[in-house]
């Protein structure tokens, strides 16, 4: 039911977003330029060999783990309790459920439903969204949820009280669930408090992503996710 | 008669599309979520049978839900106000009976009457909609202020729409 209605509503949303996307073209271009600049600075060509005495032999062979598919946002909301995002790529492009969606500045959500041409994403701004996140400094893992009802902030839970937390700390993805690649920045700590009776902080995280102005995103395909989940399920079935 | 039915079908489609393509895209504030589609249930003629009222409210709710990926939520809230409508109408009836041929509009029954009638139903609709959406009483003050702001906004939209849809009698 949801699958076939997604095709129908996606059609209208795509027409609409085709029309309004021109208005945010300038900002979208700025963001993409900034990302290009950042990626360019990571290229091997932009590193200068600082010493010619040490020769590094890099004999590791690499295997592709993540693949990125670009997509456009055709529908988005930030003012509900359960916010969803519709993207204009679906199973025709190999998009499947539980794939991560990120933008050039942060994480966006997780794919929930796909139809041939569209994908429905549970936004981070959804009361049912739970994302494994860590404090980058200490690698302490917690759960990122959204209960602020404000599209600029999310809440990080389950960080124990003996860890030192400061305003301005970076919060990044943990990569544990096999959905998001590890170490993607999510936001910075804006405020934190330790409730009496609970041994965990409640941390208010300022999201890096501007959810109110989302146009170009990437869908992340984890090529080894199946292998990971199969292995993990095998252990839990053996119990 | 046929003319009236076609008119209402067009109104239905326009309201659902306007809700999704304009109001839901505004993203003006978390508190501001006006619902314009309730206007359709509000202005159905008095002689509409109760079963038809419920069925129309169901179809209306489903059309809105399909667009906003909340299947079931709007259906419940709009079927409930369709269920309440005959009761509210008999409570606030200006005289004993509504004359045949009248419609629940400002043109036929006056501004004050319409504000009470639409205000009560819209408030019930938003209360159900937002509390079910949150599914908790945790952020009660937040949800209730959302209900109030959105109800006022919807009421304003409904009053304006009245003048667009029903031409004043000469």
């Amino acid at each position: 039911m949801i699958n076939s209605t997604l095709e129908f509503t996606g059609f209208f949303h795509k027409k609409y977003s085709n029309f309004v996307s021109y208005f945010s073209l300038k900002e979208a271009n700025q963001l993409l330029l900034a990302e290009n600049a950042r990626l360019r600075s990571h290229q091997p060509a932009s590193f200068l060999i600082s010493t010619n005495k040490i020769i590094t032999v890099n004999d590791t062979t690499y295997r592709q783990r993540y693949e990125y598919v670009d997509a456009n946002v055709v529908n988005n909301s930030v003012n509900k309790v359960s916010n969803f995002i519709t993207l204009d790529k679906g199973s025709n492009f190999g998009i499947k459920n539980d794939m991560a969606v990120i933008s050039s500045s942060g994480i966006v959500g997780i794919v929930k439903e796909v139809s041939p041409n569209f994908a429905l994403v549970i936004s981070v701004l959804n009361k049912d969204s739970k994302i494994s996140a860590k404090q980058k400094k200490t690698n302490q893992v917690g759960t990122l949820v959204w209960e602020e009802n404000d599209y600029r902030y999310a809440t990080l839970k389950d960080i124990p009280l003996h860890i030192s937390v400061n305003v301005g700390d970076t919060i990044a993805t943990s990569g544990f669930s096999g959905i998001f690649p590890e170490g993607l920045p999510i936001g910075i700590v804006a405020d934190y408090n330790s409730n009496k009776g609970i041994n965990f902080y409640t941390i208010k995280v300022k999201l890096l992503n501007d959810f109110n102005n989302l146009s170009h995103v990437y869908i992340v395909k984890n090529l080894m996710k199946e292998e990971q989940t199969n292995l993990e399920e095998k252990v839990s079935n053996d119990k | 008669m046929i003319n009236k039915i076609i008119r209402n079908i067009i109104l239905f489609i326009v309201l659902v599309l306007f809700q999704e393509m304009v109001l839901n895209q505004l993203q003006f504030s978390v508190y501001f979520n006006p619902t314009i589609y309730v206007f359709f249930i509000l202005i159905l003629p008095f002689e509409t049978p109760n079963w038809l009222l419920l069925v129309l409210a169901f179809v209306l709710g489903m059309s809105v839900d399909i667009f906003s990926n909340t299947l079931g939520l709007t259906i419940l809230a709009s079927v409930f106000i369709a269920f309440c409508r005959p009761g509210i109408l008999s409570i606030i009836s200006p005289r004993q009976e509504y004359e045949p041929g009248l419609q629940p509009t400002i043109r036929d029954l006056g501004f004050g009457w319409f504000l009470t009638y639409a205000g009560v139903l819209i408030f019930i609709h938003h209360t159900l909609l937002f509390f079910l959406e949150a599914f908790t009483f945790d952020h009660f003050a937040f949800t209730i202020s959302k209900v109030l702001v959105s109800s006022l906004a919807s009421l304003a939209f409904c009053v304006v729409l009245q003048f667009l849809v029903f031409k004043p009698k000469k």
Side-chain angles (χ1 to χ4, degrees), chain A residues 63 222-233:
Chain A
R63 264 178 71 195
N222 184 350
L223 303 177
M224 295 177 190
K225 173 147 199 288
E226 213 169 317
E227 191 180 328
Q228 188 185 344
T229 40
N230 281 350
L231 187 67
E232 284 166 0
E233 268 171 19

Side-chain angles (χ1 to χ4, degrees), chain B residues 73-156:
Chain B
L73 186 68
T74 319
I75 296 180
L76 197 147
S78 27
V79 169
F80 189 75
I81 60 162
F83 171 75
C84 291
R85 198 186 103 132
I88 304 274
L89 276 178
S90 66
I91 291 172
I92 59 165
S93 113
R95 274 159 256 106
Q96 211 56 16
E97 278 285 311
Y98 292 102
E99 286 169 39
L102 287 187
Q103 274 187 295
T105 57
I106 294 176
R107 185 185 67 182
D108 290 352
L109 289 159
F111 195 70
W113 180 88
F114 183 79
L115 273 194
T116 335
Y117 163 68
V120 171
L121 284 181
I122 288 175
F123 181 74
I124 295 174
H125 181 78
H126 282 87
T127 312
L128 263 180
L129 197 65
F130 293 140
F131 276 101
L132 277 178
E133 190 190 29
F135 214 70
T136 166
F137 287 114
D138 275 1
H139 310 280
F140 187 81
F142 168 76
T143 315
I144 199 78
S145 41
K146 195 166 153 179
V147 169
L148 288 175
V149 172
S150 301
S151 299
L152 282 178
S154 308
L155 192 59

Side-chain angles (χ1 to χ4, degrees), chain B residues 14-47:
Chain B
V14 170
L15 283 179
V16 171
L17 284 182
F18 186 79
Q19 174 70 37
E20 181 53 33
M21 294 300 154
V22 180
L23 291 183
N24 286 2
Q25 307 292 339
L26 275 180
Q27 314 282 342
F28 180 61
S29 145
V30 254
Y31 295 103
F32 184 80
N33 284 295
T35 56
I36 193 73
Y37 53 86
V38 285
F39 182 73
F40 182 76
I41 301 173
L42 293 180
I43 56 94
L44 284 171
F46 287 116
E47 57 265 30

Side-chain angles (χ1 to χ4, degrees), chain A residues 30-239:
Chain A
Q30 284 296 332
L31 279 174
L32 292 176
L33 266 181
E35 188 183 23
N36 272 347
R38 200 161 61 235
L39 293 177
R40 209 172 272 261
S41 66
H42 286 303
Q43 270 189 342
S46 52
F47 290 96
L48 191 72
I49 298 166
S50 53
T51 164
N52 46 13
K53 282 178 189 152
I54 303 167
I55 301 159
T56 322
V57 180
N58 190 350
D59 63 350
T60 322
T61 54
Y62 292 98
R63 264 178 71 195
Q64 179 113 32
R65 178 158 183 206
Y66 295 106
E67 256 179 26
Y68 295 80
V69 180
D70 65 295
N72 294 317
V73 173
V74 294
N75 187 34
N76 181 22
S77 72
V78 296
N79 59 356
K80 294 182 185 158
V81 181
S82 304
N83 293 301
F84 291 94
I85 299 166
T86 314
L87 305 179
D88 69 346
K89 295 242 166 105
S91 52
N92 284 351
F93 283 86
I95 311 300
K96 290 188 192 132
N97 291 357
D98 291 338
M99 283 183 174
V101 180
I102 63 173
S103 78
S104 51
S105 42
I107 65 169
V108 172
I110 297 171
V111 176
K112 190 202 169 207
E113 275 305 324
V114 286
S115 69
N117 295 305
F118 296 98
L120 185 68
V121 177
I122 298 191
S123 166
V124 172
L125 313 180
N126 190 309
K127 71 172 169 24
D128 298 325
S129 147
K130 276 195 177 64
I131 288 160
S132 174
K134 67 179 183 185
Q135 189 191 12
K136 208 165 187 182
K137 188 171 63 178
T138 57
N139 277 338
Q140 278 291 328
V141 175
T143 313
L144 190 85
V145 291
W146 188 63
E147 17 184 76
E148 294 282 337
N149 291 315
D150 183 336
Y151 70 88
R152 288 166 299 178
Y153 298 97
T155 310
L156 182 65
K157 293 182 157 182
D158 300 345
I159 299 282
L161 286 184
H162 66 268
I163 306 296
S164 87
V165 172
N166 296 312
V167 171
D169 282 356
T170 307
I171 304 298
T173 52
S174 71
F176 277 4
S177 52
I179 295 174
F180 286 101
E182 190 253 330
L184 282 179
I186 296 173
I188 51 172
V189 175
D191 193 11
Y192 62 94
N193 55 50
S194 43
N195 300 344
K196 285 212 172 65
I198 310 173
N199 285 328
F200 301 102
Y201 286 110
T202 306
I203 301 172
K204 190 175 177 184
V205 179
K206 169 108 177 64
L207 295 168
L208 294 174
N209 223 343
D210 182 4
F211 279 85
N212 209 6
N213 182 17
L214 214 56
S215 53
H216 301 290
V217 295
Y218 303 102
I219 304 169
V220 186
K221 290 185 188 177
N222 184 350
L223 303 177
M224 295 177 190
K225 173 147 199 288
E226 213 169 317
E227 191 180 328
Q228 188 185 344
T229 40
N230 281 350
L231 187 67
E232 284 166 0
E233 268 171 19
K234 209 165 149 189
V235 175
S236 61
N237 287 346
D238 282 350
K239 270 192 298 197

